[in-house]
Amino acid sequence: MTGKRTRLAVGLAAAAVALAACATNAPQDTLDPAGPYAEKIDALFKPVFWVATAVFLLVEGGILYILWRYRHRKGRERIPPQIHGNTRLEIAWTILPAVVLAGVAVPTVATIFDLAAEPPGNALNVTVRGHQWWWEFRYTDPEMQVGDNLPLVTANELVIPADRPVYLTLESAGSEFGNGLGRAVIHSFSPFRLAGKTDVIPGKTNHMTIQADEPGEYPGQCAELCGFSHGFMRFEVDALSPADFDAWVAGQKEEAAAPSGIAGDLIASTCAACHTIRGVSTAASTAPDLTHVASRDCLAGCIFPNTREELAAWLRDPPARKLGSFMPDYNLSEEEIEALVDYLETLE
Amino acid sequence: MASVPVPADTPRGLLRRPRATTGFWSWFTTVDHKKIGLLYGFTAFLFLIVGGAEALLIRLQLARPESTLIDAGTYNELFTMHGLTMVFLVVMPLSAAFFNYLIPLMIGARDVAFPRLNAFSYWAFLAGGLVLYSSWLLGGAPNGGWFGYPPNSTTDLSPGMSFYSLGLAMAGIASTVSAINLAVTIINMRAPGMSLFRMPVFIWMGLVVQFLLAFSLPIITVALFQLLFDRELGTNFFNPAAGGSPLLWQHLFWLFGHPEVYILILPAFGIVSEVLPVFARKPLFGYQFVVFSGIAIGFIGFGVWAHHMYATGLGPVANTAFGLSTIIIAVPTGVKIFNWMGTLYKGDLRFTSAMLFAIGTVTMFVIGGLSGVTHSVVPADYQQTDTYYVVAHFHYVLFGGAIFGLFSGFFYWWPKMFGRLLDERLGKLHFWLMMIGFNLTFGPMHVLGLQGMPRRIPTYPEGYGFDLWNLVSTIGAFTIAASILVFMWNAIGSFRKAKDAPADPWDARTLEWATTSPPPPHNFDEVVTVHSLDELWHRKYAEDESGKVVPVQAGAAPEDQSHVGGHGIHLPGPSYYPLVAALGLPLVGYGVLYGWWLSIVGAVVLLAGLYGWAMEPGAEEA
Amino acid sequence: MAETLRHEASHDTSTGLPNTKLAMWLFLASDCLFFGALIASYVLYRGASLTGPYPNDVFDIPYTSVSSFVLLASSLTMVLALSAFQREDPARGRLWLVTTALLGLTFVGGQAYEFTTFYREGLSLSANLFGSTFFVLTGFHGAHVAIGILMLLSLSAMSFAGKLPGDQSFPVEMVGLYWHFVDIVWIVIFTVVYLIPTPNPT
């Protein structure tokens, strides 16, 4: 009876894992790596997982067998032989797991150093800044800059060329350092299918390398509690073919057209206090850079799709859309919102 | 259980000791380790219900994608308080309950080394828990996670994380003095003939736990003060703008935090090591290996802390060092599983509720231990850490391991403590409901984690593959809740029965079963002289020439009848002062938040309690 | 306490050590980790303050050496106190106990003066990393000394009132262990914080 239950449980567990690996709707699935830095982890995890599964089956199977075989049967009153131990057996079952674990340790250490190695020379350099509660991306390579030592700055979506390593420098931004609106706290940049996560720690600079083998969209999230809207601090890595990436870079380097009318007034009087729109205002950059906001798929920490309706809803009352948002409710009229949305939609 | 008479020349007034050892008010002044154990147990169980309710709210919120049942701010408070409650206010005090009740009984002593200090520990623990929970009413509960990482926890504007520091510091003081008390008791108050290697494994695990507590709690106490001072006094310990490092907190916290998880699991390992032999009718297989592996875990446990920090950028050398130490600690942990299997092998297995829960502990801990091994594969942990995979791991070891073990202890020792047995059919219903519910709740979390669901998020989007398993997990959580209700029904029902459980209902092996159920205040009429491990078993059974086990003839009445019924035994009397002293602590704590004058009042109360304690006379003179 | 001490005199223990002595050693071992974490925090942040005042700006090593010597001397008087009680000369013992307490008070008073001077020179808890780590470390140590002084004076009073049972030297020995521990911790702090130089940032 218990044997059948075991087989059923094991079968279900295996099926679940298999299903999970094949799920089509699992865009952050670490078991489906999409680049070498994630693949190296997967190549290490999968064999260890199977070893663990084998141990699980052996040990739990052994326990279940013992429970069945030596269960008390009515009418057989006995006190079994009082065995105290078996030193040789105990030494053996101490050494055997140690040997198996040593076998696990060797590729583990090798992979630790492999992943920590300097990236190849052709790596694209991007500085990632974690804010409360959105991600900023700064392309610092000379060929990516938009002016004299001015990096190209975007938010929410990290656009990268496919099949090329991207070396990330991770920083935490906040009002303490004058480069953000919120508090500088710990975040964790977690691109799942492209690499393991690395924490973003105020006062410390961390690094990691990611790479997407194929063009595509690879979502990620913040993975370290960072305040109210930690759960709403998402991002997307967009890998483009080399040609598409060059086109994207060229488009991003262009300045924005100047706004007019209501939108122009609002941007000058209010938005520019925090947002940069290159060509219009670069007075402050503690909030997401809006120069090409319409070229992005998502808004506000990548939790809303970038549509007219969502943009308007955001402008109507940001803290209601995202708890703790440092963009206050400016009590904009519907006319003002219309005008702003019209303008922002032109910022491709 | 008569009251102890007080001599005629006892001073009046403040230093007059209370006399009653029975009745409602006696619970506030008791110094009897058994009553203190029951206080810990009952209080911890209440916190279990509260922490469980917090979990159910979390699971309700996560049952559907993009749920707005609970807002993000409240959600942060819920999982923070759930974690704090379960670790500090449930598992630790439940372990303390068993240690307090059983340590003197199992080593053949009449009480712990410092009975009033024992009472103080309980009241200080209660104070810590109440101060922590008072935060809900005083501006907001802690919301920075149970691990409270700064700068988020130092700069958060709600007062919650200050309550966190204060409440945990008080609970820490309680556990530290209790640890010293119990360690001295075990080392110094064993019955004649009970050498260290004739102590039950539960006592050995208890000894290791007390040392782990005594050496890890001071470290987190420092960290908690640093956190509190950063918040309230403007210090810069974790302030990056002043050059401070948030990683200092993480190192100090995990230097405590990792030994803490062994503090949480070793008592359950001790319970399993007592229960399995009794219901297999044969001794623990490999007593020395089990003891030494427990000691090894205690030592190595101080060398693995940064495995909670692999993703923080410590560098490959540090990650390797801690990866290796973590892989190493799997060995002494795993060895125990084989020893327990060896205990069951060729036994005569009876599946009482206590036995079922002990087997549940072992089988569930295997799963948690294996996922722990996958964590020790450092690069794999870069994906697993801060996802639901970790949540799965620690619930398998803490719930599957510690809680199941503690329930095994409840079923096993209930008759000894209360003189009644718990109902076995309800026990089995409880076990299966809990086993199924537990695996439904936490099994799918392995999958969720590997599929990329991070921790501590109040909701998740549709279309990420998280929907089904979250719903299953929520159903599992409510199944667990049902099993707890079954247990409560069982517990309450047991008190309606007559108090007629025998001294040794399970035909057990250790000394606590050699006295009545429940024991008299003085535990044993005669101080036992111990001749071997499993002393009680060897008094009942011997081996004949062919090696077969035969019952021993019931012995003659002991020659020395002088202490029958407790005559002539001096027991420490009840006292007000541990409670008074403990009352000072929350006053000092609230004063930090609301005004230094209150802290001064608290310090005066604490000092008054301590002086009264030192000055009060002994209560009994035969 | 009287009750505990009486019990210990009459009962054998498994190790032969009295319970209170074992407990005191365990407590002191635990307290080592408390000070260890505080000292480690100081050492980790040594030289890391972004603004002043820095240690070289405020420390007066000769002054602190004198007060350290005072504390060291108090350990000597503590030993003399215990010795007197063991020779069953409680009157002399009380004299040395009070002297120890007075020396301890002198130490604490000296620290209070030192800290107010530092504060006037701009070093506060919140000024920089040095202020935070220094004051919290020495503050907790000072609190330990203060508690020790309270215990010393209480012991003297209880001995004077005849409230210490039988062998009065036992509680004195216990307080002595604590007092020596607090002194040893100061020696470590004095060496690590004051004597080992912290270069000013360039």
Side-chain angles (χ1 to χ4, degrees):
Chain A
M1 176 190 78
T2 43
K4 261 204 215 128
R5 212 173 280 170
T6 324
R7 283 196 290 276
L8 183 60
V10 168
L12 277 174
V17 173
L19 278 171
C22 303
T24 49
N25 264 349
Q28 293 182 174
D29 188 0
T30 64
L31 298 174
D32 183 17
Y37 297 94
E39 273 151 19
K40 286 179 179 150
I41 291 174
D42 192 58
L44 184 58
F45 175 70
K46 289 226 169 90
V48 174
F49 175 79
W50 290 120
V51 168
T53 305
V55 171
F56 166 80
L57 290 171
L58 270 166
V59 173
E60 306 280 33
I63 293 173
L64 289 171
Y65 169 75
I66 291 171
L67 293 178
W68 169 78
R69 169 79 176 76
Y70 297 105
R71 67 194 186 284
H72 171 73
R73 291 165 188 77
K74 278 244 158 63
R76 283 188 49 191
E77 290 301 320
R78 66 179 195 104
I79 294 177
Q82 303 287 287
I83 306 166
H84 293 271
N86 181 328
T87 309
R88 279 208 304 217
L89 182 58
E90 293 172 63
I91 291 175
W93 74 39
T94 307
I95 291 182
L96 181 58
V99 168
V100 171
L101 289 170
V104 168
V106 172
T108 299
V109 176
T111 310
I112 293 173
F113 279 90
D114 192 358
L115 288 173
E118 286 296 304
N122 67 334
L124 179 71
N125 289 291
V126 179
T127 296
V128 175
R129 282 204 187 146
H131 294 254
Q132 282 186 318
W133 292 281
W134 56 281
W135 294 99
E136 175 182 337
F137 303 112
R138 305 166 68 86
Y139 295 79
T140 51
D141 289 328
E143 67 274 15
M144 302 283 300
Q145 288 172 0
V146 295
D148 242 352
N149 249 337
L150 283 176
L152 169 65
V153 179
T154 66
N156 292 329
E157 277 164 38
L158 176 59
V159 179
I160 61 171
D163 201 29
R164 184 175 156 202
V166 179
Y167 184 64
L168 302 177
T169 301
L170 302 162
E171 301 171 352
S172 176
S175 49
E176 295 89 328
F177 298 119
N179 54 10
L181 291 173
R183 302 176 279 127
V185 294
I186 300 178
H187 302 276
S188 189
F189 186 78
S190 189
F192 296 112
R193 292 184 66 206
L194 301 184
K197 65 184 63 68
T198 305
D199 286 356
V200 176
I201 299 171
K204 187 184 203 296
T205 305
N206 277 341
H207 298 278
M208 63 187 286
T209 312
I210 69 173
Q211 179 174 322
D213 286 337
E214 300 290 325
E217 286 175 6
Y218 305 97
Q221 285 186 251
C222 177
E224 188 59 70
L225 179 66
C226 53
F228 285 139
S229 283
H230 159 65
F232 302 110
M233 185 171 162
R234 304 184 196 136
F235 63 90
E236 203 177 84
V237 180
D238 274 334
L240 304 177
S241 70
D244 287 344
F245 182 72
D246 289 340
W248 176 83
V249 172
Q252 294 287 313
K253 280 185 177 174
E254 286 173 15
E255 292 190 343
S260 59
I262 300 173
D265 294 336
L266 275 171
I267 285 171
S269 67
T270 311
C271 314
C274 309
H275 291 282
T276 287
I277 303 177
R278 270 183 293 116
V280 177
S281 169
T282 56
S285 60
T286 50
D289 187 305
L290 298 177
T291 314
H292 294 279
V293 61
S295 70
R296 300 182 207 143
D297 284 341
C298 54
L299 300 173
C302 219
I303 56 176
F304 305 119
N306 191 355
T307 63
R308 262 196 94 83
E309 295 70 37
E310 291 292 353
L311 207 40
W314 178 258
L315 288 169
R316 214 164 276 131
D317 191 354
R321 300 295 286 156
K322 187 166 187 172
L323 184 67
S325 163
F326 291 98
M327 176 165 165
D329 178 5
Y330 286 108
N331 285 313
L332 300 171
S333 68
E334 282 309 304
E335 198 196 355
E336 289 171 317
I337 293 173
E338 276 287 306
L340 278 173
V341 172
D342 283 341
Y343 173 66
L344 291 170
E345 279 197 320
T346 67
L347 298 179
E348 288 283 345
Chain B
M1 266 217 279
S3 291
V4 175
V6 175
D9 62 349
T10 309
R12 305 271 108 195
L14 282 175
L15 291 182
R16 183 179 55 182
R17 288 185 82 140
R19 293 154 57 171
T21 54
T22 54
F24 176 74
W25 292 107
S26 72
W27 289 91
F28 291 90
T29 56
T30 185
V31 300
D32 179 343
H33 72 96
K34 299 181 287 300
K35 282 177 104 147
I36 292 171
L38 295 178
L39 283 170
Y40 267 112
F42 185 70
T43 310
F45 197 81
L46 286 178
F47 278 120
L48 173 66
I49 295 174
V50 174
E54 287 157 352
L56 290 178
L57 286 170
I58 291 171
R59 286 309 331 160
L60 274 174
Q61 166 67 13
L62 290 175
R64 313 294 316 140
E66 292 166 45
S67 170
T68 51
L69 184 67
I70 294 171
D71 74 273
T74 306
Y75 187 82
N76 287 356
E77 291 177 318
L78 278 175
F79 69 70
T80 302
M81 289 299 273
H82 168 74
L84 289 171
T85 303
M86 292 308 194
V87 170
F88 293 103
L89 305 180
V90 176
V91 177
M92 284 175 83
L94 277 178
S95 305
F98 283 110
F99 285 143
N100 265 286
Y101 201 100
L102 293 165
I103 286 177
L105 286 167
M106 285 174 112
I107 63 174
R110 298 201 187 285
D111 206 313
V112 296
F114 305 102
R116 286 174 298 174
L117 193 64
N118 204 13
F120 171 81
S121 295
Y122 169 73
W123 295 112
F125 146 68
L126 182 63
L130 291 177
V131 166
L132 187 66
Y133 267 89
S134 71
S135 60
W136 285 118
L137 304 169
L138 293 172
N143 59 1
W146 87 282
F147 53 94
Y149 283 178
N152 185 40
S153 59
T154 43
T155 57
D156 189 85
L157 296 172
S158 109
M161 293 311 285
S162 293
F163 283 97
Y164 165 91
S165 305
L166 293 167
L168 288 188
M170 281 174 225
I173 290 171
S175 292
T176 307
V177 302
S178 172
I180 293 172
N181 203 352
L182 293 175
V184 171
T185 305
I186 293 172
I187 294 172
N188 238 11
M189 294 179 70
R190 285 165 280 136
M194 185 178 276
S195 63
L196 287 174
F197 281 90
R198 288 181 185 164
M199 296 197 307
V201 171
F202 181 72
I203 303 294
W204 267 111
M205 297 299 125
L207 186 60
V208 174
V209 165
Q210 308 320 319
F211 275 93
L212 287 174
L213 284 165
F215 292 138
S216 66
L217 283 169
I219 301 173
I220 193 181
T221 307
V222 167
L224 288 170
F225 277 122
Q226 292 173 335
L227 187 78
L228 185 67
F229 293 163
D230 267 21
R231 289 179 59 84
E232 304 294 334
L233 301 178
T235 51
N236 298 301
F237 290 102
F238 313 119
N239 178 9
S245 169
L247 285 182
L248 175 64
W249 165 271
Q250 293 192 27
H251 284 293
L252 291 176
F253 181 83
W254 290 116
L255 269 164
F256 154 79
H258 198 81
E260 166 69 2
V261 312
Y262 296 111
I263 290 164
L264 295 171
I265 197 63
L266 287 181
F269 281 1
I271 294 174
V272 166
S273 302
E274 298 303 325
V275 169
L276 290 181
V278 168
F279 296 104
R281 315 276 278 146
K282 53 192 280 280
L284 179 70
F285 190 90
Y287 169 87
Q288 277 109 328
F289 262 76
V290 176
V291 167
F292 281 123
S293 65
I295 297 171
I297 286 172
F299 275 104
I300 304 175
F302 273 99
V304 301
W305 79 89
H307 69 214
H308 301 271
M309 296 167 65
Y310 287 144
T312 62
L314 295 174
V317 174
N319 279 3
T320 299
F322 285 99
L324 291 176
S325 62
T326 306
I327 284 175
I328 287 170
I329 206 169
V331 175
T333 320
V335 155
K336 291 192 200 296
I337 306 283
F338 300 134
N339 282 87
W340 290 325
M341 288 169 78
T343 307
L344 296 170
Y345 181 71
K346 287 199 172 160
D348 186 47
L349 310 181
R350 291 163 193 266
F351 298 109
T352 58
S353 303
M355 178 67 149
L356 287 172
F357 274 103
I359 294 168
T361 305
V362 176
T363 49
M364 295 302 100
F365 188 84
V366 167
I367 298 174
L370 286 171
S371 62
V373 168
T374 59
H375 282 321
S376 73
V377 176
V378 177
D381 191 61
Y382 299 155
Q383 292 287 22
Q384 297 157 7
T385 191
D386 275 312
T387 67
Y388 266 82
Y389 191 91
V390 172
V391 179
H393 161 70
F394 67 71
H395 281 96
Y396 266 86
V397 289
L398 283 181
F399 191 137
I403 295 276
F404 271 69
L406 291 165
F407 273 113
S408 175
F410 274 130
F411 279 92
Y412 181 54
W413 280 302
W414 198 266
K416 178 56 55 184
M417 297 182 189
F418 301 114
R420 298 107 164 160
L421 287 133
L422 283 168
D423 182 274
E424 279 295 314
R425 282 171 317 161
L426 284 176
K428 290 179 168 78
L429 175 62
H430 167 195
F431 171 75
W432 287 110
L433 270 178
M434 189 170 259
M435 189 64 154
I436 292 167
F438 165 77
N439 280 290
L440 277 180
T441 310
F442 299 108
M445 289 186 186
H446 293 100
V447 177
L448 284 171
L450 291 175
Q451 286 190 305
M453 182 174 173
R455 286 173 80 167
R456 303 163 182 146
I457 55 173
T459 190
Y460 49 90
E462 277 187 40
Y464 273 57
F466 301 153
D467 304 17
L468 172 65
W469 295 124
N470 267 295
L471 183 60
V472 169
S473 178
T474 299
I475 293 169
F478 279 88
T479 311
I480 296 174
S483 75
I484 301 278
L485 288 175
V486 170
F487 176 74
M488 288 168 68
W489 181 250
N490 198 352
I492 293 168
S494 78
F495 288 109
R496 299 217 192 96
K497 298 197 279 204
K499 222 181 193 178
D500 59 2
D504 181 16
W506 309 119
D507 196 17
R509 312 177 77 89
T510 43
L511 284 179
E512 73 274 25
W513 305 102
T515 185
T516 58
S517 297
H522 53 280
N523 291 350
F524 301 96
D525 281 350
E526 289 312 311
V527 171
V528 181
T529 301
V530 170
H531 303 282
S532 71
L533 176 65
D534 286 342
E535 172 69 15
L536 180 65
W537 182 263
H538 289 100
R539 290 184 173 203
K540 296 186 291 185
Y541 299 101
E543 277 168 60
D544 68 12
E545 312 80 52
S546 61
K548 227 177 62 141
V549 177
V550 293
V552 164
Q553 293 300 334
E559 294 105 53
D560 183 359
Q561 297 278 332
S562 61
H563 288 164
V564 169
H567 290 307
I569 295 177
H570 303 231
L571 278 189
S575 168
Y576 301 109
Y577 287 104
L579 175 53
V580 171
L583 269 171
L585 293 175
L587 292 175
V588 172
Y590 283 126
V592 173
L593 301 177
Y594 300 119
W596 291 105
W597 57 270
L598 189 54
S599 292
I600 293 172
V601 170
V604 169
V605 171
L606 174 60
L607 272 174
L610 292 173
Y611 274 107
W613 184 335
M615 306 287 291
E616 66 184 348
E620 28 45 58
E621 234 68 52
Chain C
M1 181 171 89
E3 169 184 308
T4 310
L5 298 174
R6 209 181 308 120
H7 272 225
E8 292 196 32
S10 62
H11 289 207
D12 285 26
T13 60
S14 310
T15 60
L17 284 174
N19 284 347
T20 308
K21 188 182 260 193
L22 189 51
M24 179 56 80
W25 278 107
L26 263 173
F27 166 70
L28 295 179
S30 171
D31 222 10
C32 278
L33 277 119
F34 183 77
F35 281 107
L38 286 168
I39 292 171
S41 299
Y42 181 88
V43 170
L44 285 166
Y45 281 155
R46 188 203 292 280
S49 290
L50 298 178
T51 60
Y54 302 104
N56 292 333
D57 301 334
V58 294
F59 281 166
D60 181 352
I61 304 293
Y63 175 88
T64 317
S65 304
V66 170
S67 72
S68 303
F69 180 74
V70 165
L71 193 63
L72 235 97
S74 75
S75 263
L76 171 63
T77 55
M78 185 73 231
V79 170
L80 292 171
L82 178 60
S83 168
F85 277 102
Q86 282 170 337
R87 276 181 287 113
E88 293 180 32
D89 186 356
R92 176 126 301 182
R94 285 191 289 274
L95 176 67
W96 287 122
L97 276 182
V98 171
T99 310
T100 309
L102 285 173
L103 287 171
L105 263 167
T106 308
F107 172 81
V108 173
Q111 285 218 300
Y113 176 73
E114 185 184 13
F115 293 172
T116 47
T117 310
F118 289 178
Y119 186 75
R120 266 185 270 113
E121 288 167 3
L123 186 70
S124 63
L125 271 169
S126 54
N128 54 13
L129 289 175
F130 171 53
S132 301
T133 52
F134 174 79
F135 282 123
V136 170
L137 169 59
T138 53
F140 271 115
H141 176 264
H144 276 73
V145 177
I147 291 169
I149 294 169
L150 268 176
M151 291 201 288
L152 288 165
L153 293 174
S154 305
L155 259 189
S156 312
M158 286 170 79
S159 168
F160 187 72
K163 294 266 187 189
L164 290 183
D167 181 9
Q168 297 190 43
S169 72
F170 184 70
V172 175
E173 187 187 355
M174 293 303 102
V175 174
L177 277 176
Y178 175 83
W179 190 259
H180 295 310
F181 169 77
V182 168
D183 197 0
I184 292 173
V185 169
W186 178 254
I187 293 172
V188 175
I189 293 176
F190 183 56
T191 309
V192 168
V193 172
Y194 288 86
L195 294 182
I196 295 180
T198 304
N200 279 8
T202 42

